[in-house]
Amino acid sequence: MTYYCEKCGHKMDENEQVCAFCGAKQMRFSTDYETKKCKKCGKDIYVNANFCPYCGTDQAILDLHKDLQADDWKESDHDNQKNLTKQQRLEQSLLNTDLNDEDSLNQFVKQMNDAGIKVRVIKPEEKNETVHPGLIKSTKLIFKDMFKINKRMGVNDFWWGIAGIMLLTVLIASVIASAVMMMHFKPAKMLRICITIMAPFGLFFQIAMFTATWRRLHDMNMSGALMLLWLFPFFRLLLGFICMMGPRLDNNPYTFKVEDYQKNRNKFN
């Protein structure tokens, strides 16, 4: 079973009591510690844990539409600011924060840091290289980076790009088949001609999808060795399901820029 470091979020073996990456002692082996509920799986975890050791969820990520609505506190119930608890003051500060205003957001982050709570603001451009992924933009991105693997590729860019390649394949195959049929050759010869013409396009598209999948694995901070699954049709389908997972931004050396990869790898290792 896979576990995660409570401090840095790196994967760990079941019996590892000290993280090999950050050196943090894992409190899940202890029986005497204060607990809190994991935001995702709901299991009891160490109260100061940055990550859930069971599902790996970053405990600093706040879901404004879920976490705050679940609280019993309402602003109208507290006219006297002096009677507010520390948690209530932070909640009120968050409610009053304009997430679209950088100064307001930075002020809230500073408040949380002063309170000893680690907060990370994840911007849209951190999840995908194109801020607004789409069929045309993401397909162009796949072809632009088709010979690069030391990058990462966001989940939305990846699937829009794959959809674009599929549409191009169908379109090109249809045009070639229509053109060959107009020559009135025998069916067997027409088939051979179609396969011969389509082969270079097929190889080109396969290379683009192969390297894009490699970069998608990097986006999830997974090893490129998983690309061995590509060699087997059944496991290639499994690889597709894996690529539906979201990004893992913490302690991930891979970026959208090749030149930053070595610098980040040294930083996180």
Side-chain angles (χ1 to χ4, degrees):
M1 182 176 178
T2 301
Y3 287 84
Y4 302 87
C5 173
E6 298 164 354
K7 181 178 180 182
C8 70
H10 265 95
K11 290 183 179 180
M12 302 180 64
D13 292 332
E14 183 175 359
N15 297 320
E16 279 190 89
Q17 298 191 25
V18 177
C19 178
F21 292 92
C22 68
K25 181 179 179 181
Q26 304 303 295
M27 293 301 294
R28 61 186 170 86
F29 290 97
S30 174
T31 56
D32 184 23
Y33 61 88
E34 188 179 352
T35 64
K36 64 182 178 183
K37 296 290 185 182
C38 169
K39 286 177 173 289
K40 183 177 181 181
C41 69
K43 291 185 179 180
D44 289 330
I45 61 176
Y46 178 44
V47 68
N48 289 329
N50 296 328
F51 297 86
C52 174
Y54 306 105
C55 67
T57 299
D58 189 341
Q59 301 301 299
I61 295 177
L62 299 175
D63 187 335
L64 303 186
H65 300 289
K66 182 178 179 182
D67 295 344
L68 293 183
Q69 289 179 2
D71 294 330
D72 295 329
W73 176 75
K74 295 181 181 178
E75 186 176 1
S76 59
D77 296 334
H78 299 274
D79 297 328
N80 189 350
Q81 296 292 321
K82 295 182 180 180
N83 294 329
L84 297 180
T85 65
K86 179 180 179 180
Q87 180 180 351
Q88 289 167 347
R89 285 196 296 271
L90 291 174
E91 289 173 349
Q92 186 182 46
S93 176
L94 179 56
L95 289 172
N96 294 333
T97 299
D98 182 1
L99 300 180
N100 295 316
D101 180 69
E102 187 172 353
D103 291 336
S104 179
L105 189 59
N106 289 337
Q107 184 178 358
F108 169 72
V109 171
K110 184 178 182 302
Q111 274 187 292
M112 297 293 280
N113 289 335
D114 291 342
I117 301 175
K118 179 183 175 183
V119 174
R120 177 175 182 179
V121 178
I122 300 176
K123 300 179 181 179
E125 56 267 28
E126 288 188 74
K127 294 186 176 182
N128 289 281
E129 189 166 356
T130 54
V131 180
H132 302 291
L135 187 63
I136 297 176
K137 288 182 178 179
S138 300
T139 304
K140 286 182 177 179
L141 180 61
I142 280 190
F143 291 131
K144 175 187 173 184
D145 292 338
M146 67 179 294
F147 298 111
K148 299 175 183 177
I149 59 172
N150 284 341
K151 292 181 65 175
R152 60 185 179 90
M153 190 170 198
V155 61
N156 292 326
D157 270 330
F158 176 78
W159 286 110
W160 273 117
I162 293 297
I165 289 178
M166 294 299 182
L167 287 175
L168 283 175
T169 302
V170 172
L171 178 62
I172 292 173
S174 300
V175 171
I176 292 174
S178 299
V180 172
M181 288 178 65
M182 293 174 62
M183 299 177 184
H184 303 291
F185 292 125
K186 292 181 179 180
K189 188 173 182 179
M190 285 195 295
L191 181 60
R192 287 197 300 270
I193 293 174
C194 288
I195 293 175
T196 302
I197 299 175
M198 275 299 299
F201 290 102
L203 179 61
F204 183 78
F205 292 156
Q206 283 291 309
I207 293 174
M209 289 193 292
F210 181 85
T211 56
T213 304
W214 200 317
R215 296 193 301 275
R216 182 76 264 278
L217 290 175
H218 286 167
D219 190 50
M220 299 176 284
N221 205 6
M222 292 185 174
S223 172
L226 285 172
M227 288 306 299
L228 291 173
L229 298 175
W230 185 274
L231 302 175
F232 307 96
F234 174 77
F235 290 109
R236 192 180 297 187
L237 181 63
L238 175 62
L239 197 59
F241 282 109
I242 293 175
C243 288
M244 292 180 182
M245 296 171 59
R248 188 172 182 85
L249 303 179
D250 295 279
N251 301 312
N252 189 343
Y254 293 98
T255 71
F256 294 133
K257 297 180 180 179
V258 175
E259 57 268 23
D260 290 339
Y261 164 67
Q262 189 66 40
K263 179 177 64 177
N264 283 11
R265 187 175 66 171
N266 294 335
K267 172 183 175 183
F268 291 122
N269 291 340

